Each structure stands twice: as C-alpha cells, then as structure tokens.
Amino acid sequence: MMRKKVVKMVTKIEPVSQKLKPHEVAAIRVCAYCRVSTDGADQKNSFEAQVDYYTRLISEKEGWVCGGIYADKARSGTKIVRRDDFNQMISDCRLGKIDMIITKSVTRFARNTVDSIQAIRELKALGIAVYFEKERVNTLSEDSEQLITILSSIAQGESESISANMRLSTVWRFKNGTFILSTPPYGYRKNENGDLVIHPEEAVIARKIFEEYLGGKGSYTIAKELEQVGIPAARAGTVWNENTIKGILQNCAYEGDLLQQKTFSEEVIPFNKKINHGELPQYLIIGNHEPIITREEAEAVRQIYEYRRQKQCVDDVSVYQSRYAFSGRIVCGECGIKFRRQKIYIGKPYEKVQWCCYQHIKDRMKCSQKAIRQDIIEELFIRLWNRMATNYEDILYPMLASLKSIRSNPQDEQEMNELENQIQELKKQSHMLRKVLSEGGIGSAIFIEKRNQLDHDLETAWRRHRNLREQRTYGWEIRQTEFLLSVFKNRPPIIEHFDEELFRLVIEQITVYLGKRLEFQLKNGLQLEEIYRKEVR
C-alpha cells in the first residue's frame, strides 16, 4: 500500500511594523553622552564644545532624531553612581526612548572596566548601540565586546596610573608642608596663597561649640540648639547634627595645627575613600595657622570626649571593670592595695555602699585600714571641687608657670621660634614660586631646581623643630594642668551634688590614710588633702 504524499504549505507572515518606502530612511533616536572630570576653565571649554558638537552632528545627520544630550560636568569616570546624567540616560534606554548612543571615546563613557562592560551588555540586550567615535566601534557588531574590554582595561589602567602619580605628589606635599586643603574647616577660609585664615562670623560659632561642650553639653544638644536658632550649617545644603559637632570637636585645626592624610583613596578603581585608621602615615603640622581655641581647651575637649566615648561603650572590658566612678582609683595608704566596693545592710532602708582595702578584707592582721562609705567620699569631693573651682587661678597658673620654667631652655625656645618663622617664610616662597611659574615668569628647569631646594630646607627645618619639641620635659604635667584650667573655667564654681563626670575628669587617684584623711591626686599630679568625720552626710 503506497503512502499518500503530504504537500506542505508555507505562508509568509509580514512583520507588524510599517514597511518603509524605497525613498524613506528609518528615523533613529540618537543621544550623545559627554563628560569632563574636573571643573577647570580648560575643561569647561571642552565640556561646552562637546555639547555643541553633538547637538549639531545629530541635527545634521539624515535619519537621526535627537534623543537628548546627556552631560556630566566635573564627574570622574571611575564611578557610575555619581554621574546623574549617565544614569538618567540608561534609565531612558530601558524605557525605550533611545535607539543609539554616541560618545567621544571609551574613556568618556567609563574608565571602570566592570561598569563599562555591564552597561554595554545591558544596552546590547535592549538592542541599543553605543558608538565610540575615536575608536570607531559599534557595540552591536560581533567582535565589539572583546575590543571594548581591551580598550576599557587600558582606560582603567591609565586612570589608576594617574591616580598613583597624584598620590605620590600629594604625599610629597604632605611631607614638606605645602599641601593646600581643598575644603577648609568650618570657621576658616583660604587666602590667595592657600593658607588658612579665620572667618570671623563662623569662628564665633566654632568657639561657642567648644565652650558649650566644655561646659557639659553633649554633641546632640549643641547641634539641636544651633538648628533651633537658625545658624547656617557647616556645609551648604546640610543641617547641624551630632556627627558634624563631633567632627569639629576632634579637629586639631581649631588649635592651630593641621593633620594631613586623615582619609585616603584605594589604589584601584573605583578609588573608594576610607578613613585612615593607621593604614598610612599621617602628617601633623604644629602652628600651621591662627587658632580659634587654646591648646588647653583642645586637650580638655579630647579628654571629655574620650571619657564619654568609653562610658557609652559598655561592651569594652576596661570600661566594664571601671563601671563605678571609684573603681581602681582608691588606694590604701597603709599597704598600697586598691579598695573594693561593698554593700552593707543589704535589703534594709539604710542600705549603704562602702569601699574597703582588699588586703584588709582578706586578712585584717595584714592591714588595719577600715572601710569608708561612698557617700563620704562623694561629699569630700564636692568640698574639694568647690574650694578649687573658686581658687583654681591662684593655684594652677603659678604651677603651670613653674612647670614651663623648669622645662624651658631659653636657647631652645628661641631656636624653635626662629624655626617656626623660617618654616612660614619657606612656605610663602613656595607659593610665590608656583605663582611665578604659572604666569610664565620662570622656566621649568629653574622652577624644579628652586622647588627642590625649598623642599629640602623645609624638611630640614621641620626635622629640627620636631627634635627640639621632643626634648622638652614635663610635657605631660603641663598638658594636664592646662586641661584642668579649662575644666574649672568652663564648669560651675559651686556644685551641690556629686558629679561623676567631673570626678573622672579631674581626679586621678584617692589615697586613704589612717586618721580619716584622704589625699586626692589631680590629673596633673597635684595632691590635695581632705579630712572627714564619721557624721559627714
């Protein structure tokens, strides 16, 4: 039996889209992407030229319809995240508003290989071409991705090389003290030479922040009060907050110094910025500019800040061990052993806390020192504070002068002053040299020779200045005395209740002697005696 032959019928189904007539040209929605990485005058001209060029090119090309000019000004090509127009362009592509993107080169599109390839692949999947004029590459062609990958890698390598050179240049300027800050701290402005000078109106607010913090207010409270009275924030478009206040309080610029390389950028794209926690060296310039606060005030702020920071970090072991104000601070005058905290009359209305020598607790035959109630210690501290706070100038200023006279060698002090003047003069010469070069008044060879000599002289002066400063004695006692002066100056002269923060800031140690005698040792080593009676409180 023969099978019947099946005849297949094929019907062509025309596409839904409208056919073009022979004389018609398909309209392509083309956009252009432009970018410059800096905000300089030459880059500004380049940016405007790119925008004008592509606007004209698209309008003159037959069959092209302008889908927009996307342009990012003063934006790095190493990160896509901050390029607003680039991201808007990709978003419009996803919405089907664009058929083709034209740009100058791979480096203008992106210097980050990963970001560049990801964006091109997404656009290719949407059927959108990216045409790079310089390389003459259309990403919809078959061999484009390999070529684009190579070109993007080269662009990324160039960017990383430029970044490495810039880092070396910056570190060199850190070392010789000629680095110019891009953004001065709140309360300061830059003069024509790039040096920091005080901004009078902001300096008043900066000083108020330090005074209120020394007076006992916290960062959050200070920020809240500044917002309430409508003081303009440290940076335009922002508000006062706790972190802003902490940043000001911890910045040594307000005492006239300058700490450089507090942050650094990673060596590879996307050059993420990180806080320098010791990964790289830092450079401290003493006496770089006019201060807004005194050094003793700055030292007081640091100690108060550190005390409050430790108090909040309850998980820290050292803080846990000193969770009570008197922990580790009371010493027996008979055997030298530290006191321990005890509760007596537990559960009764007259329950009390006392402190007792640990040696006495273990064996009364080895130490006869008796316990002392906590409320008595608190009362004695209140008495000591009230006496000191009303007479601190008569006690601490003479002590400070005596310490400075002991440690001061007149010849060394004179040399340090001369070195400081020399450093400032060398920095001015360096600024003037760069200005003369920029104005064409000096050749590059002579500039390099003179700059190298200035750099050498600056490094020599800084090294000698540091050596002289390190030779000083009694530095710790002087700093602590200055710290105490700031605390007494900014806190109330009379207190009625025990203040744990004041106690921790002022008292280093208490020694308990027989005969109901306590010796309070202040942070700077000064020892003051208080006698107590059992009926106190």
Side-chain angles (χ1 to χ4, degrees):
M1 182 176 176
M2 294 184 64
R3 287 186 176 181
K4 188 177 179 180
K5 188 176 181 180
V6 178
V7 180
K8 297 181 180 179
M9 295 182 65
V10 179
T11 304
K12 181 181 178 183
I13 302 174
E14 298 293 344
V16 177
S17 59
Q18 186 177 0
K19 292 182 181 179
L20 293 173
K21 295 179 182 179
H23 64 279
E24 292 180 332
V25 178
I28 301 175
R29 295 164 298 178
V30 180
C31 77
Y33 178 70
C34 315
R35 179 184 64 82
V36 292
S37 54
T38 65
D39 205 14
D42 55 338
Q43 292 285 286
K44 181 180 179 182
N45 294 333
S46 172
F47 179 81
E48 293 172 351
Q50 287 183 60
V51 174
D52 292 341
Y53 167 75
Y54 285 116
T55 302
R56 186 172 61 256
L57 176 68
I58 295 172
S59 63
E60 293 176 353
K61 189 77 171 179
E62 185 180 2
W64 282 12
V65 177
C66 185
I69 305 295
Y70 298 86
D72 284 312
K73 189 176 180 182
R75 286 290 181 266
S76 169
T78 59
K79 293 182 181 180
I80 285 179
V81 64
R82 289 190 295 177
R83 288 196 275 159
D84 297 334
D85 266 31
F86 182 91
N87 291 318
Q88 183 61 53
M89 178 181 70
I90 298 298
S91 177
D92 289 344
C93 287
R94 291 168 183 155
L95 295 173
K97 297 180 179 181
I98 298 168
D99 300 315
M100 181 177 177
I101 299 170
I102 186 170
T103 189
K104 183 178 179 181
S105 67
V106 172
T107 58
R108 295 299 90 193
F109 193 73
R111 284 187 179 270
N112 186 324
T113 304
V114 175
D115 288 345
S116 180
I117 296 302
Q118 285 180 346
I120 289 170
R121 283 178 177 172
E122 181 182 355
L123 294 169
K124 193 172 182 178
L126 295 170
I128 299 170
V130 181
Y131 183 73
F132 301 102
E133 283 193 298
K134 182 180 178 180
E135 294 82 7
R136 297 183 180 180
V137 175
N138 187 318
T139 58
L140 292 185
S141 62
E142 292 182 0
D143 58 348
S144 65
E145 181 161 330
Q146 184 178 5
L147 182 58
I148 293 298
T149 302
I150 295 171
L151 293 171
S152 297
S153 298
I154 293 172
Q156 177 170 327
E158 289 176 352
S159 183
E160 290 173 353
S161 177
I162 292 169
S163 177
N165 291 335
M166 290 177 65
R167 281 196 300 274
L168 288 173
S169 173
T170 301
V171 169
W172 181 253
R173 284 177 284 154
F174 283 155
K175 288 181 178 179
N176 60 34
T178 58
F179 180 80
I180 298 176
L181 290 176
S182 58
T183 306
Y186 181 80
Y188 288 95
R189 292 290 187 273
K190 290 189 294 185
N191 63 14
E192 62 277 5
N193 294 324
D195 296 323
L196 294 181
V197 293
I198 288 178
H199 185 274
E201 291 78 12
E202 290 184 357
V204 172
I205 304 303
R207 168 163 284 283
K208 180 181 178 182
I209 289 171
F210 281 92
E211 289 176 348
E212 292 191 344
Y213 191 80
L214 288 169
K217 290 184 180 180
S219 304
Y220 173 80
T221 302
I222 296 171
K224 185 178 179 182
E225 290 178 354
L226 289 174
E227 274 296 303
Q228 287 176 344
V229 296
I231 301 295
R235 296 189 184 277
T238 62
V239 297
W240 289 104
N241 57 51
E242 186 176 5
N243 290 331
T244 305
I245 300 299
K246 287 181 178 179
I248 291 174
L249 294 171
Q250 295 178 78
N251 195 337
C252 64
Y254 296 97
E255 55 186 302
D257 302 337
L258 194 62
L259 181 63
Q260 298 179 328
Q261 197 154 250
K262 292 188 285 188
T263 62
F264 67 96
S265 298
E266 293 178 329
E267 296 183 0
V268 295
I269 285 177
F271 304 129
N272 291 321
K273 184 174 283 188
K274 293 185 175 181
I275 296 174
N276 187 0
H277 292 296
E279 294 89 343
L280 294 175
Q282 294 183 323
Y283 303 88
L284 178 63
I285 303 176
I286 305 295
N288 181 76
H289 51 272
E290 185 180 355
I292 290 177
I293 62 169
T294 63
R295 294 196 179 278
E296 54 264 33
E297 288 172 329
E299 179 63 24
V301 165
R302 281 192 287 271
Q303 294 202 30
I304 293 171
Y305 184 88
E306 182 61 21
Y307 158 70
R308 292 178 177 176
R309 186 190 67 80
Q310 290 185 355
K311 189 176 181 182
Q312 292 171 359
C313 298
V314 294
D315 294 332
D316 188 270
V317 175
S318 63
V319 177
Y320 175 78
Q321 291 175 344
S322 61
R323 61 190 181 276
Y324 302 114
F326 303 125
S327 296
R329 295 176 184 263
I330 307 177
V331 177
C332 178
E334 182 178 339
C335 67
I337 303 298
K338 291 184 178 180
F339 277 39
R340 293 289 183 90
R341 185 177 186 271
Q342 294 177 322
K343 278 189 176 183
I344 55 176
Y345 310 121
I346 299 173
K348 296 183 179 180
Y350 45 88
E351 177 180 305
K352 296 286 184 182
V353 173
Q354 67 177 19
W355 292 80
C356 187
C357 174
Y358 187 56
Q359 182 81 290
H360 178 83
I361 295 172
K362 291 192 299 181
D363 187 349
R364 296 186 180 186
M365 298 298 294
K366 291 183 178 180
C367 181
S368 61
Q369 185 70 262
K370 293 184 179 180
I372 179 172
R373 293 204 322 261
Q374 180 167 305
D375 58 340
I376 294 176
I377 302 174
E378 292 175 351
E379 182 67 27
L380 292 176
F381 172 74
I382 293 171
R383 185 193 301 173
L384 179 141
W385 171 270
N386 292 341
R387 284 197 299 117
M388 274 295 298
T390 52
N391 299 281
Y392 74 92
E393 293 180 341
D394 298 331
I395 299 171
L396 295 180
Y397 276 118
M399 183 178 182
L400 182 62
S402 177
L403 287 168
K404 287 185 175 181
S405 64
I406 293 172
R407 72 103 185 244
S408 294
N409 181 328
Q411 293 180 345
D412 288 348
E413 291 297 320
Q414 182 180 353
E415 186 180 356
M416 285 191 68
N417 291 332
E418 291 173 355
L419 284 167
E420 288 171 1
N421 293 332
Q422 180 186 353
I423 289 167
Q424 293 300 322
E425 181 59 32
L426 288 169
K427 287 171 65 177
K428 288 180 181 178
Q429 291 180 25
S430 182
H431 289 311
M432 289 299 298
L433 186 63
R434 286 199 299 271
K435 186 177 181 181
V436 172
L437 176 68
S438 65
E439 293 174 352
I442 189 174
S444 58
I446 298 175
F447 168 77
I448 293 171
E449 180 183 352
K450 290 185 176 294
R451 187 192 63 182
N452 289 341
Q453 183 61 48
L454 284 171
D455 290 343
H456 177 267
D457 293 345
L458 266 170
E459 180 64 27
T460 302
W462 274 119
R463 191 182 299 113
R464 178 58 180 163
H465 189 275
R466 285 195 297 269
N467 291 339
L468 288 173
R469 192 172 68 247
E470 290 169 359
Q471 291 172 9
R472 290 174 167 179
T473 57
Y474 294 102
W476 182 86
E477 290 84 352
I478 290 170
R479 289 195 301 273
Q480 292 301 321
T481 303
E482 291 173 338
F483 162 71
L484 290 174
L485 281 165
S486 293
V487 173
F488 284 115
K489 176 184 177 182
N490 290 280
R491 295 300 175 99
I494 301 295
I495 59 174
E496 296 181 358
H497 304 286
F498 178 74
D499 188 322
E500 182 180 327
E501 181 174 292
L502 282 183
F503 176 83
R504 288 181 182 267
L505 292 174
V506 172
I507 303 299
E508 182 67 25
Q509 181 177 286
I510 301 174
T511 304
V512 181
Y513 293 99
L514 297 174
K516 301 178 181 180
R517 182 167 63 92
L518 265 65
E519 185 180 80
F520 288 85
Q521 180 181 322
L522 275 59
K523 289 285 187 178
N524 65 343
L526 179 64
Q527 296 175 343
L528 301 171
E529 189 177 278
E530 292 288 342
I531 306 295
Y532 70 94
R533 300 185 302 276
K534 200 169 185 177
E535 62 268 18
V536 175
R537 280 196 182 239

